[in-house]
Amino acid sequence: MRGPNIKGIRRLFDDRLLGIAGVALGLAILWLLPTAVRASTFLLPGTDFRFIRGDFFPRVVAWGFLVIGAWLLVVEQFRRSRGLPQEPWPVERTTRGELAAAGRFIIGVAIYVLAVNSIGFMVSTAVTYLVLSRWLGASWKVAVATAVLGALTMEVVFSGVLGIPLPGRLIRF
Amino acid sequence: MIDNIVFGLSQIADIRVILVIALGVAIGVVFGALPGLTATMAVALLAPLTFDMTPLIALPFLVGVYRGGLHGGVITSIMIGVPGTPANVPTVLDGYEMAKQGYPQSALRYALFASVAGALIASILLFTLITPASRLALAFGSPEIFALILFSMTLVTYISGATLAKGLLAAGAGMFLGTIGLDPIVGTPRFTFGVVNLTAGIPIIAMFIGLFAIPELMGFVEQRARQKSGIASDRDEAVRATFSAPDDNILLRDVIRLYWRRILISAGIGSFIGVLPGIGSETSPWLSYAAAKRGKNGANFGKGEPEGVIASEVANDAVVGAAFVPTLAFGIPGDLPLAVMLGALMAQGIRPGPALVRDNPEVLFGIVASVFASSILLYIIVRPLTRYVKKVVEVPTMVLTPIILGLCVAGAFGVNNRPFDLWIMVVFGFIGYAMRKSGIPLAPMVLAFVLSKSFETSFRESMMLERNFSVFATSPFALTMVALSVLVISSSVVMDSRRRSQGKSVAPATAR
């Protein structure tokens, strides 16, 4: 997946991988259908009119995945066999460092969500703001100001002014 | 028509009504402008406050909130590339590009003028055509609705900027995700695997926050990593340099002079889609955008073309007025926020339906006049703010990123008050990031997800009518739409194959 003259990850998935994913997804849906869509298949007992049953639509989608996945595989194989150039990728290439940073960020968001549900919105938000600001290069002064003012404003605006409940019950102000 | 307009305006010719509409617009804009908060959420949260008000105070207020909320979504679409509502997705394509090129204020003004023009034209059409349009909408059955949705999704897949296969893959994923939850016909669970929180389906707001906002934040983080490794310059410095460039001072009269044809066509598309029950506002911007893309400026679409912003926003706001037709005349909400507003109307003891024109014409035409008035008030309130809104982009990434993340969490949680929704946001954040990096467009998936229930329901209801596919041939409209869909797909396949065999690229340079 790495381009010949490029340091870093050129594509997260290429067309073959996408094709395989499409086929796998289609097969998985077809495999799950009998258990995942049970009761609705008994619509209109006594008839075998499959087009109005609850499993028809997901089945069409599954076959769509299979066909498109196979299509991507065939087209990619055709391209390789003819030695045609690879499609220009519509997004900027990603370096390993960027990918690692994005990965750390999404893990951080997951930890924030865990924290927000257990220790409450305000404390977890303030800590997250502080850590994230510092990580992104803010000075301690800016980071602390963002953390304190940001979290406080969010709590006041959402809970106080708009009356929108925020997550967490353990620590609330 | 004049009688209807005079009658409608006389119902809201009260300073209190004008003030509550203005207040509603202002609150709506704030809601819509905050990533993750939507017009639906604003209407839902504020509707209970109106139950003690008289109908002609309560409903104009909610109309103001709805209009403001929809327009607020434009601000995030243009300034940070995160659509406030699904209907704003086409606006991102050119609006965000304009902002990145240093014209955020112009993009905001184009969008504002387009919104106001679309809503005003739709209001006038609404005053004029409410009765005949109601008859037309009644004539649309399941086959026509199915065919229209099919055509919309085909167009979106076609214009999404990726290869057809990837567009279809994305649309298929949206369709499948839309099947999770209760079966829309028989009400039995599908693909829920015993998870109670999935019974109502995947929470749409949390999903959209995940798909649109989280990958944007991951992009900020990537940029920082890139900057640290010396590959890129400081993003904030670059943004400051870009936005310090003089922006165009776009005037309303210039927009009307240059784009009056597009405004009229897009308003026509939006109004037509809006009167169709159940289609909602997600379809019309795409149809309008696709129609405009075939025009003389089509090659510039997706690269910061003002006509793209205008086409999308005129149609988006024209729907607002027109969507009140099925909502009020038949009790079938034309859109998600209107479904909430329908509840507020019923709480007022007013029964929407054909009898509304006969029994409560003052409410009906008062609401229509409120749509008209809210557009003018939107212009008055938002127009002076456009020069300050662009300051949002100048906020340093190190401050903006945590704040948006906090808003995402608050917004995702606020709709259903469930921690489950936060996890949906995280999961779809990852999916959205992977899709971006894979060149799979988000738009077909989003539209397919939003319309999947209507699509499936209309298909199954159609099949119940005739028990074979000939049901789509009996309606000239449905047949035409299905034929056009097949034509679009097949021509795309043929063109892709030809280009590929010639060793050329099949995908345009941008995909979102």
Side-chain angles (χ1 to χ4, degrees):
Chain A
M1 290 207 292
R2 185 182 281 196
N5 302 314
I6 301 161
K7 283 183 182 175
I9 293 168
R10 192 174 165 79
R11 301 176 177 195
L12 204 56
F13 304 113
D14 67 8
D15 282 2
R16 273 187 311 177
L17 211 56
L18 277 179
I20 291 167
V23 171
L25 201 54
L27 288 173
I29 295 171
L30 288 175
W31 182 62
L32 287 168
L33 263 177
T35 50
V37 192
R38 271 176 304 183
S40 58
T41 56
F42 296 109
L43 178 69
L44 300 180
T47 73
D48 59 348
F49 192 50
R50 63 184 183 279
F51 297 121
I52 54 176
R53 291 197 317 222
D55 63 340
F56 175 72
F57 206 70
R59 197 179 296 278
V60 170
V61 173
W63 278 105
F65 277 129
L66 281 174
V67 170
I68 296 164
W71 178 11
L72 277 169
L73 282 171
V74 168
V75 166
E76 181 63 11
Q77 193 56 40
F78 172 81
R79 185 193 68 72
R80 283 168 186 257
S81 66
R82 291 281 189 95
L84 295 173
Q86 213 170 10
E87 278 292 305
W89 207 234
V91 288
E92 289 175 13
R93 68 174 181 274
T94 311
T95 63
R96 287 183 187 279
E98 288 166 43
L99 205 60
R104 278 196 290 273
F105 177 78
I106 198 77
I107 291 168
V109 173
I111 293 169
Y112 175 33
V113 166
L114 267 178
V116 98
N117 286 317
S118 51
I119 62 169
F121 183 81
M122 194 158 163
V123 173
S124 55
T125 299
V127 173
T128 305
Y129 279 15
L130 185 74
V131 173
L132 194 52
S133 301
R134 284 289 299 155
W135 186 36
L136 292 172
S139 64
W140 275 106
K141 207 164 105 181
V142 171
V144 170
T146 305
V148 174
L149 292 177
L152 202 60
T153 309
M154 294 276 293
E155 180 81 20
V156 169
V157 170
F158 277 85
S159 284
V161 180
L162 298 173
I164 299 170
L166 292 169
R169 291 284 179 273
L170 198 61
I171 303 173
R172 296 300 293 268
F173 290 86
Chain B
M1 180 188 82
I2 299 294
D3 291 347
N4 288 348
I5 292 175
V6 171
F7 180 65
L9 292 177
S10 69
Q11 300 307 312
I12 61 162
D14 180 338
I15 188 67
R16 288 176 307 165
V17 180
I18 301 298
L19 283 176
V20 294
I21 297 174
L23 181 67
V25 167
I27 294 173
V29 168
V30 172
F31 260 84
L34 296 173
L37 306 189
T38 63
T40 310
M41 192 173 164
V43 173
L45 282 168
L46 296 169
L49 303 179
T50 66
F51 291 162
D52 291 334
M53 301 176 185
T54 62
L56 279 172
I57 294 282
L59 297 168
F61 172 68
L62 291 178
V63 168
V65 173
Y66 176 34
R67 291 282 296 110
L70 277 186
H71 188 76
V74 171
I75 295 170
T76 53
S77 303
I78 289 172
M79 303 310 290
I80 56 175
V82 177
T85 67
N88 295 129
V89 177
T91 308
V92 174
L93 300 178
D94 284 289
Y96 188 44
E97 282 302 315
M98 284 182 75
K100 285 198 289 190
Q101 290 164 20
Y103 300 103
Q105 191 178 322
S106 302
L108 286 169
R109 286 191 180 171
Y110 276 121
L112 175 65
F113 299 154
S115 294
V116 172
L120 286 177
I121 292 170
S123 306
I124 293 166
L125 281 175
L126 197 57
F127 274 124
T128 318
L129 300 173
I130 187 159
T131 313
S134 303
R135 287 198 201 104
L136 182 71
L138 263 185
F140 268 73
S142 299
E144 286 83 5
I145 291 174
F146 168 79
L148 189 66
I149 296 175
L150 178 72
F151 182 58
S152 308
M153 287 200 294
T154 309
L155 277 183
V156 172
T157 306
Y158 179 62
I159 66 172
S160 61
T163 60
L164 183 67
K166 286 174 191 161
L168 289 173
L169 210 58
M175 278 286 163
F176 173 67
L177 292 169
T179 63
I180 295 172
L182 292 181
D183 182 313
I185 301 278
V186 291
T188 50
R190 293 187 301 188
F191 298 103
T192 57
F193 304 106
V195 179
V196 178
N197 285 323
L198 279 176
T199 309
I202 293 176
I204 188 166
I205 302 295
M207 177 186 168
F208 284 0
I209 290 173
L211 282 177
F212 289 104
I214 298 294
E216 198 66 38
L217 299 181
M218 292 167 88
F220 288 161
V221 172
E222 275 187 359
Q223 186 68 24
R224 174 69 184 163
R226 190 176 272 237
Q227 183 194 324
K228 262 183 169 175
S229 58
I231 297 172
S233 57
D234 187 336
R235 175 258 180 200
D236 296 328
E237 285 297 330
V239 166
R240 269 194 290 276
T242 306
F243 285 89
S244 63
D247 204 344
D248 289 342
N249 186 24
I250 303 299
L251 299 173
L252 179 59
R253 64 171 177 270
D254 298 330
V255 174
I256 292 171
R257 182 172 53 81
L258 290 170
Y259 299 106
W260 64 272
R261 266 180 221 275
R262 179 57 51 209
I263 289 170
L264 286 178
I265 292 169
S266 299
I269 292 171
S271 300
F272 177 69
I273 299 292
V275 297
L276 302 176
I279 300 285
S281 59
E282 291 83 13
T283 309
S284 65
W286 283 111
L287 285 176
S288 173
Y289 189 84
K293 200 178 179 185
R294 286 201 302 271
K296 61 179 178 180
N297 296 326
N300 298 327
F301 274 52
K303 300 171 188 166
E305 170 59 44
E307 197 174 347
V309 177
I310 289 169
S312 165
E313 282 308 311
V314 168
N316 186 12
D317 281 71
V319 168
V320 174
F324 277 97
V325 173
T327 309
L328 297 173
F330 317 122
I332 303 169
D335 211 348
L336 203 55
L338 289 181
V340 180
M341 217 180 290
L342 206 63
L345 195 72
M346 291 161 88
Q348 295 279 348
I350 296 164
R351 194 177 174 79
L356 188 62
V357 183
R358 188 192 61 215
D359 299 339
N360 301 93
E362 74 287 353
V363 173
L364 179 68
F365 287 103
I367 291 173
V368 177
S370 302
V371 176
F372 184 84
S374 65
S375 304
I376 295 168
L377 289 167
L378 181 74
Y379 180 81
I380 293 168
I381 292 169
V382 177
R383 168 75 171 78
L385 297 178
T386 50
R387 71 176 63 182
Y388 303 109
V389 169
K390 76 171 187 174
K391 298 284 178 194
V392 170
V393 181
E394 293 177 335
V395 177
T397 317
M398 61 190 77
V399 175
L400 193 64
T401 307
I403 288 174
I404 294 178
L405 180 61
L407 287 171
C408 290
V409 168
F413 185 83
V415 182
N416 297 319
N417 306 328
R418 297 184 307 191
F420 177 78
D421 290 19
L422 295 176
W423 291 111
I424 290 288
M425 179 192 79
V426 175
V427 169
F428 278 95
F430 178 74
I431 291 173
Y433 178 77
M435 285 177 73
R436 282 191 184 195
K437 292 294 172 189
S438 314
I440 301 176
L442 284 175
M445 181 166 130
V446 168
L447 190 80
F449 177 77
V450 169
L451 294 176
S452 60
K453 285 270 191 293
S454 308
F455 191 60
E456 182 181 1
T457 306
S458 56
F459 175 78
R460 287 165 69 182
E461 284 175 353
S462 303
M463 297 307 283
M464 284 179 198
L465 292 174
E466 293 280 338
R467 298 178 66 81
N468 61 51
F469 287 98
S470 69
V471 68
F472 300 108
T474 55
S475 157
F477 180 83
L479 190 62
T480 308
M481 289 291 117
V482 172
L484 283 173
S485 306
V486 173
L487 191 70
V488 168
I489 294 283
S490 51
S491 65
S492 182
V493 170
V494 170
M495 281 193 301
D496 277 11
S497 304
R498 275 190 191 163
R499 292 176 71 88
R500 190 172 285 111
S501 62
Q502 291 166 2
K504 293 179 183 171
S505 163
V506 294
T510 57
R512 189 175 178 89

